[in-house]
Amino acid sequence: MYLAASMKILLVEDEPKLASFVRKGFENEGYEIEVAYDGRMGHSLAQQQRYELIILDVNLPYINGFELCRQIRLQDPHVPILLLTALDSLDDKVTGFEAGTDDYLVKPFEFKELLLRARVLTRRHTEAARKHPLRIADLELNLDSKTVTRAGQRIDLTTKEYSLLEYLLLNRGKVISRVDIAEKVWELNFDTNTNVIDVYVSYLRKKLDKGYDTKLIHTVVGMGYVLREG
């Protein structure tokens, strides 16, 4: 299922050497990491995809790390965020935490410490997420019992339908491409000659939306699917 996939990190850092150093370190530990070199690019990536951890430099072009942290928090209150910066005064740290960061690491730093903090943040986030069902409107998915209900009525799903719904719920409000679904849910390279994604989305629609006034699964022509109210 999707949660077993490799952990995905977004690094927003405008110093190429440091970005390369951090990227190589995480990749060597088995993480998947994307790098943005300015605040606007970082904000765009954070809107388009879901990450298990976001690492932000403070002194970024276009949008600084404090403001970027605030903007990301507005769209995702739960994603772990760690600020990397040479600013080490108490006022700077207060500003960072007020912006919504979960942790603050001052430059220069050892990669081992960054890795440790990343593991702690993602572990806490995963443990907290598993205590709370995923919800949208009157649809609820319980991660512990692996049960799905809508308006209090239980819905039986196959293993693949459950994994697809879980991924859509984790990315609710975001348009998810067929390629992304194939890679994250089926863990395979997308074959443009197959309609397996569309078939399973159709299965979910019949089970989740049929008979309800509020439709939750929507097609965005030419782009993919999105789970949202109305």
Side-chain angles (χ1 to χ4, degrees):
M1 61 185 285
Y2 167 68
L3 289 179
S6 62
M7 189 167 292
K8 196 165 190 177
I9 296 173
L10 172 63
L11 170 66
V12 189
E13 170 60 64
D14 65 330
E15 297 180 29
K17 288 184 179 180
L18 179 58
S20 178
F21 165 73
V22 172
R23 168 181 250 164
K24 288 179 181 178
F26 277 112
E27 287 178 342
N28 288 340
E29 294 294 326
Y31 292 82
E32 183 180 351
I33 182 166
E34 287 189 280
V35 179
Y37 296 97
D38 63 64
R40 283 197 304 223
M41 183 181 178
H43 185 242
S44 177
L45 287 173
Q47 286 184 308
Q48 295 172 29
Q49 302 182 53
R50 177 183 177 273
Y51 297 92
E52 281 74 28
L53 174 66
I54 297 178
I55 302 173
L56 306 175
D57 183 28
V58 169
N59 293 318
L60 293 169
Y62 305 121
I63 305 174
N64 69 50
F66 293 140
E67 180 57 29
L68 181 54
C69 184
R70 292 187 189 97
Q71 293 183 16
I72 292 172
R73 273 284 168 259
L74 289 175
Q75 70 186 52
D76 191 339
H78 306 297
V79 61
I81 299 176
L82 186 150
L83 283 175
L84 290 178
T85 179
L87 304 174
D88 61 353
S89 73
L90 179 58
D91 286 343
D92 290 323
K93 291 180 180 180
V94 169
T95 300
F97 285 116
E98 288 180 343
T101 190
D102 296 286
D103 202 356
Y104 199 108
L105 184 58
V106 176
K107 298 177 181 179
F109 56 86
E110 295 287 337
F111 178 75
K112 286 183 179 180
E113 182 176 4
L114 175 59
L115 178 63
L116 175 62
R117 291 179 183 232
R119 284 174 172 168
V120 169
L121 286 176
T122 52
R123 183 172 65 247
R124 287 176 183 168
H125 176 64
T126 300
E127 290 172 352
R130 298 196 72 83
K131 294 178 182 178
H132 302 284
L134 298 174
R135 293 190 181 95
I136 184 170
D138 54 357
L139 175 69
E140 179 178 299
L141 183 151
N142 188 299
L143 291 165
D144 288 326
S145 64
K146 302 291 189 294
T147 56
V148 176
T149 60
R150 181 155 191 194
Q153 299 298 310
R154 178 161 176 161
I155 299 170
D156 293 323
L157 301 178
T158 65
T159 300
K160 194 57 69 177
E161 289 169 351
Y162 176 92
S163 296
L164 175 57
L165 176 60
E166 180 183 10
Y167 186 60
L168 290 172
L169 275 165
L170 287 168
N171 292 277
R172 54 195 175 275
K174 296 182 181 180
V175 178
I176 308 299
S177 70
R178 291 171 176 81
V179 174
D180 203 25
I181 292 173
E183 291 177 349
K184 297 300 190 299
V185 179
W186 270 262
E187 298 181 2
L188 49 82
N189 293 324
F190 187 63
D191 180 358
T192 55
N193 294 318
T194 180
N195 66 341
V196 64
I197 308 298
D198 307 279
V199 169
Y200 272 85
V201 169
S202 177
Y203 291 160
L204 273 185
R205 276 198 172 115
K206 289 177 182 177
K207 292 185 177 183
L208 301 180
D209 282 343
K210 189 176 181 180
Y212 294 93
D213 293 333
T214 300
K215 308 305 180 185
L216 299 178
I217 302 175
H218 304 271
T219 301
V220 181
V221 178
M223 297 180 69
Y225 298 100
V226 60
L227 189 70
R228 65 170 179 243
E229 275 190 75

